[in-house]
Amino acid sequence: MDELLLIPGPTPVPLPVREAGSRPMTNHRSEAFARVLRTVLEGVRELYRTRQPVIPYASSGTGVLEAAVVNTLSPGDRVLALSCGAFGNRFSRIARAYGAEVTHVEVEWGTGVPLELLEEHLKKADYRAVLVTHNETSTGVQNDLSALAGARADRPALLLVDAVSSLGAVPLDMDGWGLDVVVTASQKALGCPPGVSFLAASQGAWEAYRTARMPRYYWDMGMVQDALRQPLTQTPFTPAVSVFYSLEVSLELIRQEGYEAVCQRHRLLSEAVRAGVRALGLRPVADERWASWTVTAVWLPEGVSAEALVGRVRERYGVVLAGGQGKLAGRVFRIGHLGYVWPQDVLRCMEALGAVLRELGVAVDPQAGVEAARRVFDSRAAQAV
Ligand SMILES: *Cc1c(COP(=O)(O)O)cnc(C)c1O
């Protein structure tokens, strides 16, 4: 049985992207690899919608969150961390670990950051930076990033954005919205193996970089930028060469589908997932107004453990779902629907969920989820005609 990976990262890697990653190793300081590097960074830059250079690192997403902090801030800087869950908390802790004076504001898990909350805090103090998670993967909450950026607009605070589980699936307009630092990683919506992360910084963030005093070496974005600007485009340290090969192909697939279409596919998948789980008598963690396009966290029904549900769905049906994180561990399960995920995958997931819930003694029509999800896809297909 083919395993269907529906965790919120790493995400399924399609065959041509996997095959690209198996190409022979090469000299990472060669004209051939420089071309790959340039193509990938240019492609990612289009998704960011920025004129700024995109800075790559060999790291997971957490590494590049650290890069966002140490490149722009100094110990003692006042930082407002707006957290909606486990990843917002992580961003906040990184800033604190490097000596920022962090005001940690955590909203109820399952909701996003209301504009008024940001406005209220910006009135109270002068912050050097605001940290925000575009899409909170632990709760399935998607913030209204353009509105938050608008609320911050006339303040000097830099807006540092974790877009790890959104960029490539949810529209984001770095320059248009005035975002200062945006970070993402290869193993989420970009549908590649883990190992490469990206950062882009606004002009304001590059100015902040010049005076920022947090310790940095590996994450020094100026050093990366200098290497990229060599006549032979390169990185200061060895890049994850194979992942770049995969990225080159994946970005081409995204271009072929059309980025707008890719984003709309994610929105549709998320609607179908929510309709499906509701039809199975389950409740998403996120309020509908904050519902994420890329991941749905769902409360476990009474008397059903995460291990039993996630375990059986995997063993019997080959569908791999995720458990909960942080304080939601043991209380929710999560369905990732980002990257190379298609309607038939959502239907297979709903089929498995319905059957397993029934096996575990939940009084439910096992087909209700598939049918509800299919109705969402059918109604959209009808609209498109
Ligand atoms: C996955 C993810 C990260 C990074 O996690 P890593 O395991 O370090 O790659 C950061 N933020 C969000 C919102 C994520 O979903």
Side-chain angles (χ1 to χ4, degrees):
M1 181 169 34
D2 252 15
E3 200 168 72
L4 173 60
L5 187 63
L6 295 183
I7 61 174
T11 62
V13 181
L15 188 60
V17 177
R18 283 206 302 279
E19 282 176 344
S22 73
R23 268 155 50 187
M25 199 40 56
T26 192
N27 179 1
H28 62 299
R29 305 195 194 284
S30 62
E31 184 46 43
F33 190 72
R35 261 199 307 276
V36 175
L37 203 49
R38 286 193 294 264
T39 306
V40 167
L41 296 179
E42 209 36 53
V44 173
R45 203 162 69 95
E46 280 172 31
L47 305 186
Y48 269 77
R49 303 193 63 179
T50 183
R51 290 162 64 189
Q52 300 298 331
V54 169
I55 304 292
Y57 296 100
S59 83
S60 82
T62 306
V64 78
L65 286 177
E66 194 153 323
V69 169
V70 301
N71 276 302
T72 55
L73 299 172
S74 298
D77 277 352
R78 302 191 69 150
V79 169
L80 176 63
L82 299 171
S83 174
C84 309
F87 288 99
N89 288 355
R90 187 180 296 180
F91 209 178
S92 177
R93 281 194 203 108
I94 292 169
R96 191 164 285 155
Y98 279 95
E101 200 185 298
V102 177
T103 301
H104 182 83
V105 179
E106 193 169 336
V107 300
E108 195 190 327
W109 287 30
T111 66
V113 178
L115 283 192
E116 309 76 59
L117 187 70
L118 173 60
E119 282 163 353
E120 174 197 323
H121 281 277
L122 288 178
K123 268 185 217 140
K124 276 197 236 161
D126 282 329
Y127 289 101
R128 185 77 187 105
V130 176
L131 313 183
V132 66
T133 314
H134 187 192
N135 185 82
E136 176 51 66
T137 315
S138 63
T139 58
V141 159
Q142 190 166 302
N143 275 305
D144 186 347
L145 189 54
S146 70
L148 289 171
R152 183 285 327 243
D154 55 347
R155 306 267 169 177
L158 296 169
L159 190 55
L160 313 187
V161 179
D162 173 349
V164 177
S165 63
S166 56
L167 203 129
V170 181
L172 178 151
D173 184 353
M174 178 166 165
D175 291 357
W177 297 348
L179 311 176
D180 290 297
V181 176
V182 177
V183 304
T184 196
S186 54
Q187 82 277 23
K188 305 267 170 114
L190 299 178
C192 286
V196 173
S197 64
F198 299 102
L199 174 153
S202 67
Q203 211 167 351
W206 278 102
E207 272 158 33
Y209 161 82
R210 284 181 202 107
T211 55
R213 284 177 292 99
M214 281 183 181
R216 63 186 183 216
Y217 184 80
Y218 185 74
W219 302 119
D220 188 323
M221 65 183 187
M223 191 155 51
V224 183
Q225 174 67 337
D226 288 346
L228 294 174
R229 280 182 174 157
Q230 300 285 311
L232 184 70
T233 310
Q234 55 193 291
T235 52
F237 318 115
T238 312
V241 170
S242 309
V243 184
F244 272 95
Y245 287 152
S246 287
L247 280 161
E248 188 179 23
V249 172
S250 184
L251 289 162
E252 180 53 32
L253 292 178
I254 291 172
R255 193 171 301 118
Q256 283 169 14
E257 188 181 349
Y259 189 40
E260 178 60 26
V262 168
C263 293
Q264 288 310 315
R265 168 166 55 83
H266 282 86
R267 189 225 276 267
L268 182 62
L269 293 175
S270 77
E271 283 171 15
V273 165
R274 291 197 300 283
V277 295
R278 284 212 179 88
L280 289 169
L282 306 176
R283 200 161 53 84
V285 173
D287 293 351
E288 190 61 25
R289 79 170 271 224
W290 303 110
S292 161
W293 293 11
T294 60
V295 52
T296 302
V298 184
W299 295 109
L300 285 160
E302 275 295 311
V304 172
S305 74
E307 294 76 40
L309 184 72
V310 171
R312 280 203 190 213
V313 164
R314 187 187 68 244
E315 287 153 21
R316 301 265 179 100
Y317 299 91
V319 177
V320 185
L321 303 177
Q325 279 172 298
K327 63 185 178 194
L328 293 182
R331 298 170 61 203
V332 308
F333 69 94
R334 291 175 301 150
I335 305 170
H337 32 85
L338 71 166
Y340 294 96
V341 176
W342 309 95
Q344 64 265 29
D345 301 325
V346 169
L347 297 177
R348 179 169 158 197
C349 171
M350 290 304 146
E351 185 100 46
L353 265 180
V356 167
L357 285 170
R358 187 60 173 268
E359 285 170 26
L360 292 172
V362 179
V364 64
D365 168 5
Q367 285 300 311
V370 199
E371 283 162 13
R374 186 174 283 124
R375 275 195 297 276
V376 171
F377 294 130
D378 287 351
S379 70
R380 197 52 58 93
Q383 275 171 31
V385 170

